[in-house]
């Protein structure tokens, strides 16, 4: 099964402070990191694939080392396709590639994409990028993205899959904070966002 997530920002202690961009209500960064690990591993098993749409880790003024981020990712279940975000350094991807491991199914744990990845799900196409893309008039193409944290693009075909995304409020199931999203959940978010956008356009 495929899952989708963005903007984990492991180690980013400044997000614990009151802010309008991505408020995270934890007592310390260790609690925040562990919440994301637990939510991830509760859904994802070793044979699943998670598309991480950028900004894996961040610690202003003292960037997490490549080793620290690698150790964090190794605590997470499944295969990962890592799409480069604006806070993901080239050195990190090189380090992860150098220390990549083969999973029990014979496939590597990590795969890498600089810009994006396109895949099909239930008669739709998911175009996975870090930055939201303005695709124009499309038919059954949904841009899954991160980058803007607690904000949303006012276009139904742009779905923010970040851990702080407001589109998560559309879900009928109240998922633990930091949970990667299934394809079915993406389509539920998309359908309800379409309804919201249609109501706004009628006003």
């Amino acid at each position: 099964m495929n899952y989708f997530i963005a903007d984990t920002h492991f180690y980013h202690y400044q997000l614990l402070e009151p802010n309008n961009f991505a408020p995270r209500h934890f007592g310390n960064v260790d609690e925040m990191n562990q919440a994301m690990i637990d939510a991830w591993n509760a859904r994802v098993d070793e044979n699943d694939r998670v598309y991480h749409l950028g900004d894996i880790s961040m610690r202003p003024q003292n960037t997490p080392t490549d080793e620290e981020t690698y150790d964090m990712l190794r605590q997470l279940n499944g295969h990962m396709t890592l799409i480069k975000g604006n806070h993901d350094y080239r050195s990190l991807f090189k380090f992860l590639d150098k220390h990549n491991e083969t999973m029990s199914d014979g496939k590597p744990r990590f795969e890498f994409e600089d810009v994006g990845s396109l895949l099909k799900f239930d008669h739709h196409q998911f175009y996975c990028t870090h930055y939201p893309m303005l695709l124009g008039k499309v038919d059954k193409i949904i841009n899954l993205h991160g980058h803007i944290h607690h904000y949303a693009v006012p276009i139904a075909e742009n779905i923010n899959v970040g851990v702080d995304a407001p589109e998560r409020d559309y879900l009928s199931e109240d998922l633990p904070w930091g949970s990667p999203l299934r394809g079915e959940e993406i389509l539920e978010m998309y359908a309800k966002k379409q309804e919201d956008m249609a109501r706004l356009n009628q006003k």
Side-chain angles (χ1 to χ4, degrees):
M1 183 177 291
N2 293 326
Y3 291 85
F4 306 89
I5 198 168
D7 299 311
T8 44
H9 280 246
F10 288 109
Y11 303 106
H12 195 171
Y13 62 87
Q14 287 184 332
L15 297 183
L16 301 176
E17 302 169 2
N19 65 86
N20 294 323
F21 189 56
R24 298 185 177 183
H25 307 294
F26 295 92
N28 56 62
V29 75
D30 290 332
E31 291 178 7
M32 180 187 78
N33 289 346
Q34 193 61 52
M36 288 188 284
I37 293 169
D38 292 344
W40 182 303
N41 289 339
R43 308 202 92 192
V44 179
D45 68 31
E46 289 304 313
N47 296 315
D48 293 328
R49 176 167 298 278
V50 180
Y51 288 79
H52 192 302
L53 277 54
D55 288 4
I56 301 166
S57 63
M58 183 178 178
R59 189 166 56 210
Q61 290 82 48
N62 183 13
T63 302
T65 64
D66 296 337
E67 291 87 350
E68 285 177 308
T69 301
Y70 174 66
D71 289 342
M72 184 66 68
L73 291 176
R74 291 193 70 216
Q75 297 179 60
L76 303 173
N77 291 342
H79 300 275
M80 298 176 212
T81 296
L82 304 175
I83 295 168
K84 190 176 181 298
N86 56 304
H87 294 297
D88 298 320
Y89 296 99
R90 181 72 55 200
S91 64
L92 171 62
F93 278 24
K94 288 182 178 179
F95 184 92
L96 295 176
D97 192 34
K98 181 179 179 181
H99 295 85
N100 214 342
E101 58 187 313
T102 301
M103 305 286 276
S104 58
D105 60 2
K107 298 177 182 178
R109 178 183 289 272
F110 304 118
E111 294 182 358
F112 309 93
E113 296 284 352
D114 273 351
V115 178
S117 185
L118 184 66
L119 63 152
K120 294 181 180 179
F121 180 81
D122 193 16
H123 307 292
H124 290 77
Q125 293 185 76
F126 292 165
Y127 184 30
C128 304
T129 60
H130 178 63
Y131 301 99
M133 308 291 288
L134 299 181
L135 299 177
K137 187 173 177 60
V138 294
D139 181 28
K140 295 187 178 297
I141 300 176
I142 304 172
N143 175 215
L144 310 187
H145 66 86
H147 186 61
I148 55 176
H149 289 263
H150 196 57
Y151 294 88
V153 176
I155 299 171
E157 286 73 21
N158 290 82
I159 299 293
N160 185 350
V161 299
V163 298
D164 311 302
E167 281 96 329
R168 288 174 178 260
D169 292 340
Y170 288 126
L171 293 173
S172 53
E173 181 182 357
D174 187 17
L175 299 176
W177 182 83
S179 298
L181 298 166
R182 298 188 181 109
E184 294 87 352
E185 290 159 343
I186 300 293
L187 294 185
E188 179 185 5
M189 294 158 70
Y190 172 53
K192 291 179 179 177
K193 190 173 181 181
Q194 276 185 312
E195 293 172 3
D196 264 3
M197 294 298 102
R199 280 193 292 268
L200 288 173
N201 291 333
Q202 288 173 356
K203 292 181 178 179

